Amino acid sequence: HVLTSSEYLTSNPGFSFDYQLINVEDFNGVGESEPNPYFYQNLGEAEYVVAVYMYMRLLGYKSEEITILTTYNGQKHLIRDVVKQRCGDNPVFGFPKTITTVDRYQGSQNNYILLSLARTKTVGHLRDVRRLIVAMSRARLGLYVFARVGIFANCYELTPAFKQLLKHPTELHIYPDERCPTNRKTGDLPPAAKVIKDMPEMSKFVYDSTTK
């Protein structure tokens, strides 16, 4: 079925790759924060994830096809706040189908998953490989993981999964001239990708795109 269905034979519009691990550095000098015990948040990742969601909506992706997942409750609440702030009053964006934690999403799937791992000091409970497997197997067509790459890629338990993710660059490669749907075949790179260096660049790009 996967080899014959047309949706699996075409690329994800506006992206060079169908999956990517995107490195997220500190934003304003801050990576993860812990306002309450075990309530981990990462504003840089939250803003980056939401900017990519907004970019997808501008290209014509349906909001119900996009799910935002994270590994921590604190980050879930922060992402919901950012979505409400950035998208809440604009029908062009609306809200993704779901914003929740990996653990609560077991047994569910969606076409496109944006996943925030949140932690920047230690791997935390993602060291339990089952959590990572659940997280990475939720996407049918596209998976984009936002994380501090050095922390997770160097974790022995996670090596097999991250080895696969690291086959592609860790800076987001987009192709904003493309729209949904596309005829570009899976595996065919776009003619001229735009490389996004960090979250502020992506946020500015989306802002500029909405104010043209």
Side-chain angles (χ1 to χ4, degrees):
H1 172 69
V2 170
L3 295 177
T4 57
S5 177
S6 61
E7 63 185 351
Y8 294 105
L9 297 176
T10 54
S11 297
N12 293 341
F15 293 94
S16 291
F17 307 104
D18 293 337
Y19 66 88
Q20 253 197 294
L21 171 63
I22 298 141
N23 186 53
V24 185
E25 294 295 340
D26 288 356
F27 176 53
N28 290 338
V30 180
E32 71 175 58
S33 60
E34 194 179 0
N36 296 306
Y38 307 108
F39 195 79
Y40 295 103
Q41 297 186 326
N42 184 322
L43 180 59
E45 280 187 26
E47 291 280 8
Y48 208 154
V49 166
V50 175
V52 171
Y53 165 73
M54 294 169 71
Y55 168 71
M56 294 174 75
R57 294 287 289 131
L58 289 171
L59 297 191
Y61 286 84
K62 297 174 182 175
S63 59
E64 61 266 25
E65 291 186 308
I66 306 168
T67 290
I68 299 177
L69 295 181
T70 182
T71 40
Y72 288 92
N73 262 319
Q75 186 71 346
K76 174 194 73 177
H77 288 293
L78 181 59
I79 291 170
R80 285 178 177 175
D81 287 345
V82 173
V83 167
K84 192 173 181 181
Q85 184 180 359
R86 303 268 179 252
C87 310
D89 295 328
N90 193 334
V92 170
F93 301 117
F95 291 87
K97 181 175 183 180
T98 312
I99 303 171
T100 191
T101 60
V102 170
D103 288 350
R104 285 195 172 273
Y105 205 64
Q106 289 199 42
S108 300
Q109 278 190 320
N110 207 348
N111 285 347
Y112 305 98
I113 299 290
L114 308 179
L115 171 64
S116 168
L117 300 186
R119 303 298 298 274
T120 59
K121 296 175 182 175
T122 65
V123 169
H125 64 208
L126 197 66
R127 192 178 290 271
D128 179 349
V129 178
R130 290 168 298 181
R131 270 198 173 90
L132 182 64
I133 291 169
V134 168
M136 291 181 61
S137 60
R138 299 305 91 191
R140 294 179 65 245
L141 302 177
L143 172 69
Y144 301 94
V145 182
F146 300 78
R148 182 65 54 85
V149 171
I151 293 289
F152 294 94
N154 293 324
C155 176
Y156 175 76
E157 292 91 336
L158 305 180
T159 297
F162 275 82
K163 188 175 180 182
Q164 179 69 31
L165 288 172
L166 287 167
K167 288 181 178 179
H168 293 155
T170 58
E171 289 179 333
L172 180 63
H173 284 47
I174 63 173
Y175 184 41
D177 293 336
E178 202 167 41
R179 294 291 182 272
C180 296
T182 179
N183 294 319
R184 182 165 53 95
K185 300 300 184 211
T186 299
D188 289 352
L189 293 179
K194 178 178 176 63
V195 179
I196 301 294
K197 299 292 184 186
D198 53 24
M199 179 277 289
E201 182 180 357
M202 187 63 183
S203 294
K204 183 180 185 303
F205 178 79
V206 169
Y207 176 79
D208 290 345
S209 299
T210 57
T211 53
K212 282 181 180 176

